[in-house]
Amino acid sequence: MGFKKNRIKLEDIANKLNLSIATVSRALDQNPRVKQSTREKVIQTANDMGYMPNQIAKSLSSGKTNIIGVIIPRYDEPFFIEVCRGIDHYVSTHNYKILISSSRNSFDSEVENLASFERGLVDGIILSPTHETKTFSHIKNVINAGIPVVLFDNIIEEMHGADHVLIDDKKAAFSAVEFFIKKGKKQIAFIGGAKEKKVFKDRFEGYKEALNTYNIPMNQNLILHCNSLDRKSDNIEINSFFNSPQIKPDAVFTCTDNYGLLTMKTLLKLGYKIPEDISVIGFGDLGLADVFVPSLTCVAQPSFEMGQKVAELLINQLSEPENINHQKKVITLDTKIILRESTP
Amino acid sequence: MGFKKNRIKLEDIANKLNLSIATVSRALDQNPRVKQSTREKVIQTANDMGYMPNQIAKSLSSGKTNIIGVIIPRYDEPFFIEVCRGIDHYVSTHNYKILISSSRNSFDSEVENLASFERGLVDGIILSPTHETKTFSHIKNVINAGIPVVLFDNIIEEMHGADHVLIDDKKAAFSAVEFFIKKGKKQIAFIGGAKEKKVFKDRFEGYKEALNTYNIPMNQNLILHCNSLDRKSDNIEINSFFNSPQIKPDAVFTCTDNYGLLTMKTLLKLGYKIPEDISVIGFGDLGLADVFVPSLTCVAQPSFEMGQKVAELLINQLSEPENINHQKKVITLDTKIILRESTP
DNA sequence: TTTAAAAAAACAAACGTTTGTATTATTGTT
DNA sequence: AACAATAATACAAACGTTTGTTTTTTTAAA
């Protein structure tokens, strides 16, 4: 702790006032066990001397750090930042702070981060698993060690043993594709990300089910799974996809806002009119979907709210008595389609 | 610290092996004072028992938390996130973690955050002052308490007593406007944010100086200072600005990427051709400047690098011997113009 | 006044480490 | 076999709080 050794502590106040450390501690805590006049004297002196409590000592003694650890796959995705904002918003009203770590989309780093948090620095953990994460044991271990964990986004079956918050990706995709179908679209393209990622798999399921429900044959040429290393590679993949001669879509459902914007960029360069010639729907509704010309119709994902809910579940666990057997909780949030210029 | 009471500690290992706590501690530390065979036995047992060191106790004892506190004005600006990425990148190689807090653009909240960090939770602090921040004393106090502080972005004169990293906003704006002038532009508009904010003031200075240097009269009608509450209000202000009959710019220098994109959106809606009729330059080069159609030429601000530099200055301070009198350090990073489609 | 009850404050252990100093065990020398 | 010298380990204080228990002081009743 980067402070000089002459930092004022309880002992200094106690010495100055000829009181015991315990009394000073209780006085500053507004504990009624110490006399009103003493309490005032202590508080006055503490202020005069510039006393600052030592959070670390407090934590060691009380067994609480009032810090929530948050592990996200990456910083540079507005979705995660928005969720963090939601978490921060909620926990700050409960006197908690958040410690954010990035797993940089690596399972090993996720395990490492978890272990680091397990060293007692945090009271609870919020985790968004990477798409590399196929197991639950590393999470289960933390839970078994008595540290509450809540998950969000990209939750696979195995992880249902932990509290979590998610959206119904399949349903959301279904409704977007259904929207296209009801507008009379027949050649609906799908642009998703790495197939191993749960959210993309689910959204693809929703796409297929919508086509199936309305008896529209699926055309493999209209389907693209980006590898999504970065925006530049996405751009290249999407470009060559639409430049292929087999492609004649009249609508495109994309699994992220970025894919949606890159798709529109590509289509505009190719001379398409949006939405007259072709419609586009994005997924997420963060960033600049509303700034682009034309603005992008989106499946809106309630990111901030998701953060709040995740935080709420965690704080609830933290305030439960230790011995009661925790009942697993799952919250599924609703999505909705925000209509803009990229669709008729 | 959210863990069950039955958590394994040094004492448990010591008891099991009939050793003292000190020896166990040293063994796990790879301290040569303990015999090779003992060391191995201890490490083996620690693993078997599932020992996890208690970070809080470690911190109390060692006086170091290995946490860096970072205070940014807001989460939802890619610039700050990018800086945080840079910080994280640098400090993680030095075995530090970052604790990010948002001051929500409020001076009071900044003071509060600083005080909270001063309670011994962090070894050092990185701060980006809000635009409300006009004083230095609250920062000076923290420094005087022995906690290293490094500042970035929006640094006013008063704060020069602390290490800081910045760009030359005036020079950057000057070069962007000069670029326009050399392309033959005569009616160069300026779109900035709240005038109290240092960065916007400096960029405005650069704009004025460029005009002045090339003997171009300044036209008040071509200047807009947005209040910048959120993107929606920016949009409205920029819209009504360009819809005014007095405005006939042939180029627009905007102080952020967002302003640049909103400007292009407005101009496109009004039927302008970019860059044929009018050119636009943004500032920052984060987010979607390269995705927009047309893509936006930008003054690129090295955000990630800024984070790394800030972190480097802080880590340097942390590794200095306590008694030496710290020599204040200032790093000014270079900007450059990234040419894209919005300029000829 | 003495004494019991209540109020106020002091004492001391605990939280889980680190680390300087003291003690015990081992080795090598004669 | 006795004795240094050194290696290995144990002891104990310290980090700055919190909090249960005990002691002292004050108040009020007899």
Side-chain angles (χ1 to χ4, degrees):
Chain A
M1 296 155 283
F3 43 76
K4 295 204 185 94
K5 283 298 162 217
N6 54 13
R7 188 183 167 111
I8 305 296
K9 49 190 170 179
L10 290 184
E11 193 185 354
D12 301 318
I13 302 173
N15 286 342
K16 176 159 235 169
L17 296 176
N18 273 315
L19 287 169
S20 72
I21 294 175
T23 300
V24 173
S25 172
R26 290 193 167 100
L28 292 172
D29 254 26
Q30 303 284 6
N31 186 317
R33 266 176 60 173
V34 357
K35 187 164 54 168
Q36 170 90 27
S37 62
T38 311
R39 218 186 304 166
E40 283 164 2
K41 214 164 38 183
V42 169
I43 290 169
Q44 181 64 50
T45 310
N47 282 336
D48 293 350
M49 297 176 82
Y51 172 71
M52 277 277 175
N54 180 325
Q55 188 60 47
I56 296 296
K58 256 186 151 116
S59 293
L60 182 61
S61 184
S62 68
K64 287 198 55 170
T65 64
N66 281 82
I67 299 178
I68 306 284
V70 180
I71 305 174
I72 55 177
R74 46 196 298 184
Y75 289 114
D76 54 353
E77 221 168 83
F79 167 69
F80 293 118
I81 300 302
E82 197 62 12
V83 173
C84 286
R85 272 190 59 220
I87 296 171
D88 193 52
H89 182 87
Y90 189 90
V91 303
S92 65
T93 64
H94 292 255
N95 195 30
Y96 282 90
K97 292 196 149 317
I98 61 176
L99 187 61
I100 307 174
S101 274
S102 163
S103 58
R104 278 172 253 110
N105 265 323
S106 138
F107 174 71
D108 290 346
S109 169
E110 175 178 308
V111 173
E112 219 173 81
N113 274 302
L114 227 35
S116 148
F117 281 158
E118 205 183 335
R119 287 166 154 67
L121 205 89
V122 302
D123 292 340
I125 296 173
I126 291 171
L127 168 69
S128 177
T130 75
H131 63 266
E132 286 184 9
T133 307
K134 299 292 174 221
T135 56
F136 184 53
S137 58
H138 61 304
I139 301 171
K140 189 73 193 164
N141 286 344
V142 177
I143 296 175
N144 287 343
I147 304 175
V149 177
V150 180
L151 310 176
F152 73 92
D153 195 55
N154 209 42
I155 315 286
I156 59 173
E157 195 87 36
E158 285 85 341
M159 301 171 185
H160 286 4
D163 280 16
H164 58 276
V165 178
L166 34 65
I167 59 166
D168 190 334
D169 282 289
K170 187 173 167 186
K171 188 171 139 198
F174 182 96
S175 68
V177 177
E178 186 180 43
F179 170 87
F180 278 148
I181 295 171
K182 291 196 168 162
K183 291 283 180 187
K185 307 293 180 183
K186 301 286 182 207
Q187 302 288 336
I188 304 167
F190 172 92
I191 298 186
K195 259 185 294 191
E196 321 88 72
K197 207 172 166 188
K198 183 67 161 59
V199 293
F200 292 132
K201 207 156 65 185
D202 285 356
R203 288 170 200 178
F204 188 47
E205 291 299 322
Y207 167 79
K208 287 191 291 190
E209 188 163 305
L211 295 185
N212 204 40
T213 303
Y214 290 92
N215 292 309
I216 297 179
M218 193 168 87
N219 179 350
Q220 286 297 339
N221 289 325
L222 291 174
I223 292 162
L224 172 64
H225 299 284
C226 292
N227 277 309
S228 209
L229 302 168
D230 53 35
R231 195 153 67 226
K232 205 167 281 170
S233 74
D234 288 341
N235 196 13
I236 292 167
E237 288 189 73
I238 289 173
N239 231 297
S240 67
F241 178 71
F242 284 108
N243 273 297
S244 145
Q246 292 103 310
I247 304 292
K248 270 288 159 221
D250 52 13
V252 188
F253 168 68
T254 68
C255 283
T256 71
D257 284 355
N258 261 339
Y259 294 151
L261 295 175
L262 288 173
T263 295
M264 291 209 294
K265 178 194 177 88
T266 301
L267 294 173
L268 290 174
K269 298 257 169 189
L270 288 173
Y272 285 84
K273 293 249 174 302
I274 302 173
E276 292 82 357
D277 303 339
I278 188 166
S279 302
V280 183
I281 290 186
F283 203 116
D285 196 42
L286 289 167
L288 301 184
D290 61 332
V291 177
F292 208 88
V293 181
S295 56
L296 178 64
T297 292
C298 288
V299 176
Q301 190 170 8
S303 327
F304 186 84
E305 192 189 345
M306 186 176 278
Q308 290 183 299
K309 287 295 175 189
V310 170
E312 189 184 329
L313 287 186
L314 189 67
I315 300 282
N316 281 349
Q317 281 197 51
L318 287 171
S319 44
E320 274 169 5
E322 307 221 12
N323 44 350
I324 84 157
N325 218 358
H326 176 65
Q327 203 64 3
K328 284 299 160 239
K329 296 222 181 59
V330 179
I331 295 179
T332 306
L333 295 176
D334 285 333
T335 57
K336 62 173 180 235
I337 297 178
I338 308 285
L339 293 174
R340 296 209 185 85
E341 296 164 352
S342 67
T343 51
Chain B
M1 294 157 285
F3 44 77
K4 296 205 184 95
K5 283 298 160 216
N6 54 11
R7 188 183 169 113
I8 305 297
K9 48 190 170 180
L10 291 184
E11 195 185 353
D12 300 318
I13 302 174
N15 286 341
K16 176 157 234 167
L17 296 175
N18 273 314
L19 288 168
S20 70
I21 294 175
T23 300
V24 173
S25 171
R26 289 193 168 100
L28 292 172
D29 253 26
Q30 303 284 7
N31 188 317
R33 265 176 61 177
V34 356
K35 187 165 52 168
Q36 171 91 27
S37 62
T38 310
R39 217 187 304 167
E40 283 165 2
K41 215 165 36 183
V42 168
I43 290 170
Q44 182 63 53
T45 310
N47 283 335
D48 293 350
M49 298 177 81
Y51 172 70
M52 278 275 174
N54 180 323
Q55 187 59 48
I56 296 296
K58 252 183 155 121
S59 293
L60 181 63
S61 183
S62 69
K64 287 198 58 174
T65 64
N66 280 83
I67 299 178
I68 306 282
V70 180
I71 305 173
I72 55 177
R74 46 196 298 183
Y75 290 115
D76 53 353
E77 220 167 84
F79 168 69
F80 292 118
I81 300 302
E82 198 61 13
V83 173
C84 286
R85 273 190 60 218
I87 296 171
D88 193 52
H89 182 87
Y90 189 90
V91 303
S92 65
T93 65
H94 291 255
N95 195 29
Y96 282 90
K97 291 196 151 312
I98 60 176
L99 186 62
I100 307 174
S101 274
S102 163
S103 58
R104 278 171 251 114
N105 266 323
S106 138
F107 174 70
D108 291 345
S109 169
E110 175 177 310
V111 172
E112 218 173 83
N113 274 303
L114 228 35
S116 147
F117 282 157
E118 204 182 337
R119 288 166 153 66
L121 206 88
V122 301
D123 292 340
I125 296 172
I126 291 172
L127 169 68
S128 177
T130 75
H131 63 267
E132 285 185 10
T133 308
K134 299 293 175 222
T135 56
F136 184 54
S137 58
H138 61 305
I139 302 171
K140 189 73 192 165
N141 286 343
V142 176
I143 296 174
N144 287 343
I147 305 175
V149 177
V150 180
L151 309 176
F152 73 93
D153 195 57
N154 208 40
I155 314 286
I156 59 173
E157 194 88 38
E158 284 85 342
M159 301 171 185
H160 286 5
D163 280 17
H164 57 276
V165 179
L166 34 65
I167 60 166
D168 190 333
D169 281 290
K170 187 173 168 184
K171 188 171 140 200
F174 181 97
S175 69
V177 176
E178 186 180 42
F179 170 86
F180 278 148
I181 295 170
K182 291 195 168 162
K183 291 283 180 186
K185 306 292 179 184
K186 300 288 182 208
Q187 301 288 335
I188 304 167
F190 173 92
I191 297 186
K195 259 185 293 192
E196 320 90 70
K197 206 169 167 189
K198 183 68 160 54
V199 293
F200 292 132
K201 206 155 66 184
D202 285 356
R203 289 170 199 178
F204 188 49
E205 290 299 322
Y207 167 80
K208 285 193 291 189
E209 189 163 305
L211 294 185
N212 202 41
T213 304
Y214 289 92
N215 292 309
I216 295 180
M218 193 168 87
N219 178 350
Q220 285 297 339
N221 290 325
L222 291 175
I223 292 162
L224 172 64
H225 298 284
C226 292
N227 276 310
S228 208
L229 303 168
D230 52 37
R231 196 152 68 225
K232 206 167 281 170
S233 74
D234 288 342
N235 197 12
I236 292 168
E237 288 190 74
I238 289 172
N239 231 297
S240 67
F241 177 71
F242 285 107
N243 273 297
S244 145
Q246 292 102 312
I247 304 294
K248 270 287 158 222
D250 52 14
V252 188
F253 167 68
T254 67
C255 283
T256 70
D257 283 355
N258 260 339
Y259 294 153
L261 295 176
L262 289 172
T263 294
M264 290 209 294
K265 178 194 176 87
T266 300
L267 293 173
L268 289 175
K269 298 259 169 186
L270 288 173
Y272 284 84
K273 294 246 173 303
I274 303 172
E276 292 81 356
D277 302 338
I278 189 167
S279 302
V280 183
I281 289 186
F283 203 117
D285 196 42
L286 288 167
L288 301 185
D290 61 332
V291 176
F292 208 88
V293 180
S295 56
L296 177 64
T297 291
C298 287
V299 176
Q301 190 170 7
S303 327
F304 187 84
E305 192 188 345
M306 186 176 277
Q308 290 182 298
K309 287 294 175 190
V310 170
E312 187 183 333
L313 287 185
L314 190 68
I315 301 281
N316 282 348
Q317 280 197 50
L318 287 171
S319 45
E320 274 169 3
E322 306 222 12
N323 44 350
I324 85 158
N325 218 358
H326 177 67
Q327 203 66 2
K328 282 299 157 242
K329 295 221 182 58
V330 179
I331 295 179
T332 306
L333 295 176
D334 285 333
T335 58
K336 62 171 181 240
I337 296 177
I338 308 286
L339 293 174
R340 295 208 185 85
E341 296 164 353
S342 66
T343 51

